[in-house]
Amino acid sequence: DAGVIQSPRHEVTEMGQEVTLRCKPISGHNSLFWYRQTMMRGLELLIYFNNNVPIDDSGMPEDRFSAKMPNASFSTLKIQPSEPRDSAVYFCASSFISGQGVHQPQHFGDGTRLSIL
Amino acid sequence: GEDVEQSLFLSVREGDSSVINCTYTDSSSTYLYWYKQEPGAGLQLLTYIFSNMDMKQDQRLTVLLNKKDKHLSLRIADTQTGDSAIYFCAESRLSGGYNKLIFGAGTRLAVHP
């Protein structure tokens, strides 16, 4: 079975440019998570979607960051304008959470390594 | 505190057992997880344990849970060079109406001949 698919794997761009990261969750999963990983701060949850609806965006650093999930099989994380401090590895993860609160583990994509010059 | 804590480094000889330790904070955590991250890759789910269990074994992996002390450990038997990676402990914490994963900083396991 295909896992979580992220693109691009690597992105290098100049500060001020718009960056769009993409994620395709595992088919049948109803929950999607965006994380950021840095040496200084480790893994941080940015935003959580359930059934395509943003449930918790308290981890989104600032208004320059936005995320969408137009359908169950696709999500984007956008940074506009990008800054050097946004350089990190961004992971997407998905899982299934039932209405009774029973949940399955999160499965991660291979990440997008973002460098802002 | 609110952090999940792990030691940062562990070095073992090939063939020996590795034990990676973790302390978590929320006594009501329902699940606790171990993930493995190899260079340039995402987090791979290794195993997880439900909070009403004390131990779980899966081939070379043994997870021990001490709820009283909020201590979780991962034992890797017969450690191989392919086990060299960063291992993350995570607790599932109820926050904002859903179970949020809180990760430790990761333990870098180095396996030498």
Side-chain angles (χ1 to χ4, degrees), chain B:
Chain B
E2 296 185 353
D3 292 341
V4 174
E5 295 188 348
Q6 305 177 236
S7 53
L8 293 182
F9 299 102
L10 178 65
S11 178
V12 299
R13 189 182 302 274
E14 190 175 12
D16 287 351
S17 292
S18 307
V19 179
I20 302 172
N21 294 302
C22 169
T23 55
Y24 60 99
T25 58
D26 189 348
S27 58
S28 63
S29 291
T30 50
Y31 291 91
L32 295 131
Y33 300 86
W34 285 104
Y35 284 85
K36 174 184 180 183
Q37 185 179 30
E38 297 184 31
L43 276 71
Q44 172 196 353
L45 177 69
L46 278 182
T47 187
Y48 62 99
I49 188 168
F50 190 51
S51 58
N52 68 352
M53 298 170 65
D54 297 325
M55 185 183 85
K56 180 178 180 181
Q57 187 153 2
D58 183 1
Q59 300 182 345
R60 292 190 298 122
L61 305 179
T62 302
V63 178
L64 294 178
L65 175 60
N66 180 330
K67 281 194 72 175
K68 175 177 171 291
D69 295 336
K70 300 193 195 69
H71 183 265
L72 183 73
S73 68
L74 174 70
R75 179 177 180 270
I76 306 172
D78 187 25
T79 312
Q80 303 297 308
T81 54
D83 295 323
S84 295
I86 301 176
Y87 291 79
F88 291 92
C89 164
E91 67 169 332
S92 176
R93 187 184 298 172
L94 189 62
S95 171
Y98 73 101
N99 284 294
K100 185 175 182 177
L101 279 190
I102 308 298
F103 287 88
T107 298
R108 184 178 296 273
L109 174 64
V111 183
H112 55 88

Side-chain angles (χ1 to χ4, degrees), chain A residues 47-88:
Chain A
I47 188 167
Y48 157 53
F49 290 89
N50 182 258
N51 292 322
N52 312 338
V53 175
I55 303 299
D56 181 4
D57 64 355
S58 60
M60 294 286 265
E62 48 198 272
D63 292 346
R64 297 185 298 107
F65 285 69
S66 62
K68 293 182 180 179
M69 191 163 187
N71 57 63
S73 59
F74 184 66
S75 177
T76 59
L77 177 67
K78 190 172 291 188
I79 309 173
Q80 167 64 14
S82 58
E83 296 182 4
R85 62 192 168 119
D86 302 329
S87 298

Side-chain angles (χ1 to χ4, degrees), chain A residues 5-7 20-26 29 32 34 49 52 67-77 92:
Chain A
I5 299 172
Q6 291 187 246
S7 64
T20 300
L21 311 181
R22 297 173 176 79
C23 175
K24 177 178 168 55
I26 292 172
H29 282 185
L32 185 139
W34 281 101
F49 290 89
N52 312 338
K68 293 182 180 179
M69 191 163 187
N71 57 63
S73 59
F74 184 66
S75 177
T76 59
L77 177 67
C92 176

